[in-house]
Amino acid sequence: MNPKKFNLWLLMLASVMLFMAFTSAYIVHRSDSLPNGQWLQFDLPVQFTYSAIAVLISSVFMQLSWRAAYRDEIPQNRLFLIGTLMLSLVFCAYQYSGWKEMTMNGLPLVPAEDTIGGVSASFVYVITVFHLLHVLGGVVLLA
């Protein structure tokens, strides 16, 4: 196997494992804290929905870009890559906007010690920050 392709698969596996670990920690902590009233349930800001839509469309553009490159359609490839880059930046902006909204709603990254259930918002911040870093890594490789 090509060493570059092997490294790509290795990084993809590591990324999947990292997000699985975060999701598992969230599920376990939530199930332990919910019966005790130590888990604050809240609605996510709508910006996170918009960011998810942007990253999904960006993925479609990336696939279309790959197909265009495979067919040697350079102008279409460039167009789809630019679209992917723009949508990735839109994703980043919506993530930041979602964090600001959470902070304005009294859900900070690090809750005060006497705050009941504040750690539930911290999970959202940690997962979304790592997702943002994941996307920014892709943007750096794309640019």
Side-chain angles (χ1 to χ4, degrees):
M1 178 183 265
N2 182 335
K4 289 181 182 180
K5 190 176 262 190
F6 177 76
N7 285 338
L8 176 65
W9 279 104
L10 195 60
L11 286 172
M12 287 172 50
L13 179 64
S15 179
V16 167
M17 289 175 60
L18 180 68
F19 283 106
M20 285 176 62
F22 287 146
T23 304
S24 175
Y26 170 83
I27 291 169
V28 168
H29 193 75
R30 183 176 184 265
S31 65
D32 287 346
S33 301
L34 199 55
N36 303 332
Q38 296 293 316
W39 189 265
L40 177 65
Q41 294 191 32
F42 59 91
D43 292 328
L44 286 176
V46 70
Q47 290 92 331
F48 290 122
T49 302
Y50 297 151
S51 70
I53 292 168
V55 82
L56 286 173
I57 296 170
S58 174
S59 297
V60 170
F61 274 34
M62 191 67 195
Q63 184 64 30
L64 292 172
S65 172
W66 181 85
R67 284 186 183 170
Y70 184 77
R71 295 179 184 152
D72 272 344
E73 298 169 345
I74 303 305
Q76 288 84 3
N77 173 270
R78 182 170 291 159
L79 180 67
F80 288 128
L81 281 176
I82 290 170
T84 300
L85 179 63
M86 291 299 142
L87 285 167
S88 298
L89 296 175
V90 166
F91 167 83
C92 295
Y94 274 128
Q95 291 287 100
Y96 179 73
S97 179
W99 298 330
K100 283 179 60 176
E101 180 80 19
M102 286 180 63
T103 303
M104 288 180 0
N105 290 337
L107 299 165
L109 171 61
V110 180
E113 285 187 36
D114 60 346
T115 304
I116 294 177
V119 73
S120 57
S122 298
F123 273 101
V124 174
Y125 282 105
V126 169
I127 291 170
T128 57
V129 162
F130 273 94
H131 196 205
L132 177 75
L133 291 173
H134 178 86
V135 169
L136 286 175
V139 167
V140 167
L141 291 175
L142 187 61

